[in-house]
């Protein structure tokens, strides 16, 4: 069901009013929402897997690996850590952000508080969870948003209609309907949402739409997190083998994973819709790209199926090398020297992730110090995603902001500085009338020169400049 402008305006007003009641700030409320999300995943797992099969053609095991299982992990971490995350961090002498000793009888703390009413717009390619390769997400940021105590409006992608419908009709029965709304609809609904005032927008999708989101957010100076994806280079340091041998090994492993007939294997996902199928078809049928196909390339539009396809040295100025593919197509670019990969990566927009498969320690150090990316992973392509202690997010054109684990909680929180001073102490020298003695005390205080402060107070230190010089 798509929302009318009137119905949405009424719901948004009620959500704001509910947030204003302070209910969502309570630990018990946050715990109950996390438990509701957990129950939804457990009790509706079969429906979720069927929806993913219907929309994306995903095998149930792949769907559990990429979405249900990872969300369970995130929920377990959030539930276990919630009270620790909510607790304010005291800023005492022992902390890194300690108060200086001159602040006698004073204390400070950093208190996380919810931002308010937040909007989450998710993509189609991972409608429930997320994967490191891209930005598909609905429930992952929702976990962080409710753990932080916000009310939420969630808009899933209209391009995965079965998943979107399941989220809109079933998920609310597990959550507080006064605080969390799921709204279905196409671009016109997205435009309606972006015209509203939000306390935070979390958007997942293309850079083109990301610019629209930023422009809309700028009207109200709304903070945003953008997960825009982009190309993620995988560096393979093949010291002794030829590329012919590497490609031959890839062909062997494709057959081991998907069988002699991948289409009939029920293991490989389908393209989300005919529009995206046509886009991929046009990329692959570019005459110059077509010449680079060394494996696969067959397509079935009626079944939205594209065979796993390997391209060897497609033209760098071709469309397939300029945009994110979202299909089972692997372009391989060969270089004369593996060291040239640093310059090659830096010639492209900053990637969401770099996967570098190499034992070369010197090259690893160069990748770390000379390239910029959302994340850098050596000899794996998913490790940083599994670790909730690592943030996930982009840099440059692939987005900004980070989440995962505690970072998701922080993404939807304002960390408020709170300071307390006793009435028994005061820094009297910060007020007029101005004297040279007060200037000396200010100088010593800003330099945390405690001995100097004592010497000034005792009249044992003289300034090398006059009060007139201090003014000029």
């Amino acid at each position: 069901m798509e929302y009318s402008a009137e119905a949405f305006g009424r719901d948004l007003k009620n959500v704001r009013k509910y947030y204003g009641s302070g209910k969502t700030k309570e630990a018990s409320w946050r715990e109950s929402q996390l438990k509701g999300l957990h129950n939804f995943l457990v009790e509706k797992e079969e429906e979720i897997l069927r929806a993913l099969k219907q929309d994306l053609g995903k095998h149930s095991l792949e769907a559990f690996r990429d979405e249900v299982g990872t969300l369970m992990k995130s929920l377990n971490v959030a539930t276990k850590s919630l009270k620790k995350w909510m607790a304010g961090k005291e800023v005492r002498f022992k902390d890194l952000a300690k108060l200086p000793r001159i602040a006698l009888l004073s204390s400070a703390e950093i208190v996380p508080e919810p931002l308010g009413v937040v909007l989450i717009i998710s993509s189609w390619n991972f409608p429930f969870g997320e994967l490191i390769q891209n930005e598909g997400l609905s429930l992952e940021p929702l976990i962080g948003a409710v753990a932080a105590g916000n009310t939420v409006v969630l808009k899933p992608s209209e391009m995965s209609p079965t998943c979107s419908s399941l989220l809109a009709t079933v998920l609310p029965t597990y959550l507080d309907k006064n605080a969390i709304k799921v709204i279905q609809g196409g671009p016109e609904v997205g435009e309606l949402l972006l015209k509203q005032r939000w306390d935070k927008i979390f958007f997942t999708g293309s850079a083109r739409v990301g610019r629209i989101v930023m422009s809309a957010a700028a009207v109200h100076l709304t903070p945003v997190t953008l997960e825009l994806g982009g190309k993620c280079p995988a560096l393979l340091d093949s010291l002794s083998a030829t590329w012919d041998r590497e490609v031959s090994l890839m062909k062997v492993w494709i057959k081991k994973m998907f069988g002699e007939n991948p289409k009939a294997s029920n293991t490989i996902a389908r393209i989300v819709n005919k529009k995206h199928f046509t886009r991929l078809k046009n990329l692959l049928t570019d005459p110059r790209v077509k010449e680079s196909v060394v494996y696969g390339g067959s397509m079935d539009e009626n079944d939205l199926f594209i065979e796993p396809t390997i391209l060897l040295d497609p033209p760098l100025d071709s469309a397939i090398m300029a945009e994110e593919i979202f299909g089972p197509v692997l372009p391989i670019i060969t270089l004369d020297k593996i060291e040239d990969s640093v310059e090659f990566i830096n010639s492209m927009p900053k990637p969401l992730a770099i996967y570098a498969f190499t034992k070369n320690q010197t090259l690893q150090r160069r990748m770390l110090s000379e390239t910029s990316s959302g994340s850098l992973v050596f000899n794996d392509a998913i490790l940083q995603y599994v670790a909730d202690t690592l943030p996930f997010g982009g840099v440059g054109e692939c987005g900004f902001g980070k989440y995962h684990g505690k970072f998701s909680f922080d993404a939807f929180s304002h960390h408020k500085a709170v300071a307390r001073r006793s009435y028994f102490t005061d820094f009297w020298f910060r007020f007029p009338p101005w004297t040279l003695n007060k200037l000396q005390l200010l100088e010593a205080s800003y330099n945390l020169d405690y001995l100097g402060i004592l010497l000034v107070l005792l009249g044992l230190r003289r300034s090398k400049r006059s009060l007139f010089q201090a003014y000029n």
Side-chain angles (χ1 to χ4, degrees):
M1 179 186 71
E2 294 195 1
Y3 269 41
S4 65
E6 294 76 16
F8 171 69
R10 183 175 59 252
D11 278 352
L12 182 57
K13 182 179 179 180
N14 291 335
V15 168
R16 288 194 182 281
K17 183 177 180 181
Y18 193 73
Y19 175 76
S21 71
K23 178 71 174 178
T24 66
K25 295 183 179 181
E26 300 172 3
S28 59
W29 182 88
R30 306 184 197 196
E31 290 172 343
S32 68
Q33 301 313 296
L34 294 176
K35 183 178 180 181
L37 284 169
H38 182 273
N39 291 341
F40 168 71
L41 292 175
V42 171
E43 296 175 14
K44 300 300 178 181
E45 180 177 323
E46 289 187 10
E47 288 93 328
I48 292 172
L49 298 180
R50 281 200 298 269
L52 289 166
K53 180 68 175 178
Q54 177 69 29
D55 285 343
L56 302 174
K58 277 193 175 184
H59 189 280
S60 58
L61 202 155
E62 180 185 359
F64 183 87
R65 180 197 67 183
D66 295 349
E67 312 220 26
V68 177
T70 59
L71 286 169
M72 287 286 195
K73 173 182 62 67
S74 295
L75 278 167
N76 291 337
V77 170
T79 302
K80 181 180 179 181
S81 308
L82 180 61
K83 290 186 178 179
K84 180 181 178 181
W85 293 350
M86 290 178 62
K89 177 184 177 183
E90 293 188 48
V91 186
R92 296 187 182 276
F93 301 149
K94 63 183 179 181
D95 294 319
L96 293 177
K98 65 185 179 182
L99 289 178
R101 290 183 175 87
I102 194 173
L104 297 173
L105 300 179
S106 298
S107 64
E109 61 180 328
I110 301 171
V111 178
E113 63 180 15
L115 293 173
V117 183
V118 304
L119 171 65
I120 299 173
I121 303 177
S122 65
S123 67
W124 55 266
N125 53 326
F126 292 91
F128 291 93
E130 66 175 61
L131 191 65
I132 194 66
Q133 181 64 25
N134 206 308
E135 63 277 343
L137 35 86
S138 285
L139 301 189
E140 179 74 24
L142 180 60
I143 293 171
V146 298
N150 299 278
T151 54
V152 183
V153 173
L154 169 65
K155 183 194 177 298
S157 173
E158 71 278 7
M159 286 196 287
S160 48
T162 311
C163 295
S164 177
S165 177
L166 181 61
L167 286 169
T169 58
V170 180
L171 180 61
T173 64
Y174 287 84
L175 302 174
D176 186 342
K177 297 178 183 179
N178 295 312
I180 301 168
K181 302 290 183 182
V182 182
I183 297 181
Q184 297 187 87
E188 69 287 347
V189 173
E191 292 177 9
L192 173 64
L193 293 172
L194 290 174
K195 289 179 181 178
Q196 312 306 313
R197 186 184 190 98
W198 304 96
D199 298 301
K200 171 87 176 195
I201 298 175
F202 191 110
F203 170 76
T204 299
S206 68
R208 179 186 66 82
V209 181
R211 292 183 175 91
I212 296 173
V213 171
M214 280 199 71
S215 297
V219 174
H220 300 294
L221 297 179
T222 302
V224 297
T225 292
L226 299 181
E227 292 298 334
L228 306 179
K231 285 193 173 297
C232 298
L235 169 68
L236 178 59
D237 184 1
S238 183
L239 298 177
S240 58
T242 64
W243 273 109
D244 289 338
R245 180 176 179 274
E246 295 292 350
V247 171
S248 296
L249 287 173
M250 290 180 188
K251 294 177 182 179
V252 170
W253 278 101
I254 288 174
K255 290 181 179 180
K256 284 186 177 181
M257 294 175 70
F258 303 113
E260 292 291 338
N261 185 357
K263 180 182 174 182
S265 69
N266 194 36
T267 301
I268 188 168
R270 292 332 192 229
I271 309 305
V272 67
N273 55 34
K274 287 194 175 183
K275 177 182 177 181
H276 276 278
F277 183 93
T278 301
R279 177 184 61 82
L280 289 167
K281 182 179 178 181
N282 291 338
L283 292 177
L284 288 171
T285 52
D286 177 335
R288 297 184 303 157
V289 173
K290 198 171 183 179
E291 291 177 359
S292 70
V293 175
V294 294
Y295 182 82
S298 66
M299 309 178 200
D300 183 343
E301 185 170 354
N302 292 328
D303 193 32
L304 298 177
F305 170 81
I306 295 179
E307 182 184 9
T309 302
I310 300 174
L311 312 177
L312 189 59
D313 287 318
L316 295 179
D317 61 351
S318 61
I320 204 165
M321 290 302 298
E323 62 182 69
E324 198 164 5
I325 296 174
F326 286 117
V329 181
L330 177 65
I332 297 174
I333 305 299
T334 60
L335 301 172
D336 293 333
K337 296 185 300 181
I338 193 63
E339 290 76 15
D340 294 340
S341 59
V342 174
E343 182 179 352
F344 180 84
I345 290 172
N346 288 336
S347 70
M348 304 293 182
K350 293 180 180 180
L352 183 62
I354 297 175
Y355 310 115
F357 294 84
T358 178
K359 297 179 181 179
N360 187 327
Q361 295 295 318
T362 300
L363 180 59
Q364 288 190 14
R365 286 192 292 271
R366 288 195 63 195
M367 296 296 294
L368 182 61
S369 63
E370 299 179 30
T371 66
S372 178
S373 57
S375 57
L376 172 61
V377 188
F378 293 109
N379 305 322
D380 203 282
I382 199 171
L383 182 63
Q384 84 283 25
Y385 162 68
V386 176
D388 290 287
T389 52
L390 292 176
F392 175 66
V395 60
E397 293 183 28
C398 62
F400 51 81
K402 54 185 179 293
Y403 63 108
H404 270 191
K406 174 66 159 52
F407 300 98
S408 293
F409 177 89
D410 291 340
F412 292 97
S413 298
H414 165 61
H415 294 272
K416 181 165 59 180
V418 180
R420 296 179 177 86
R421 181 183 66 83
S422 169
Y423 285 123
F424 292 107
T425 61
D426 194 11
F427 306 107
W428 75 93
F429 48 85
R430 55 181 168 158
F431 303 115
W434 302 121
T435 66
L436 188 57
N437 180 261
K438 288 183 178 180
L439 173 60
Q440 289 179 282
L441 287 171
L442 285 170
E443 284 182 320
S445 297
Y446 284 138
N447 289 317
L448 302 181
D449 181 2
Y450 301 112
L451 177 60
I453 294 173
L454 179 60
L455 293 175
V456 172
L457 290 173
L458 294 174
L460 300 177
R461 172 178 285 187
R462 293 185 178 276
S463 176
K464 294 181 180 180
R465 57 183 175 177
S466 68
L467 186 59
F468 176 79
Q469 287 175 322
Y471 285 143
N472 294 276

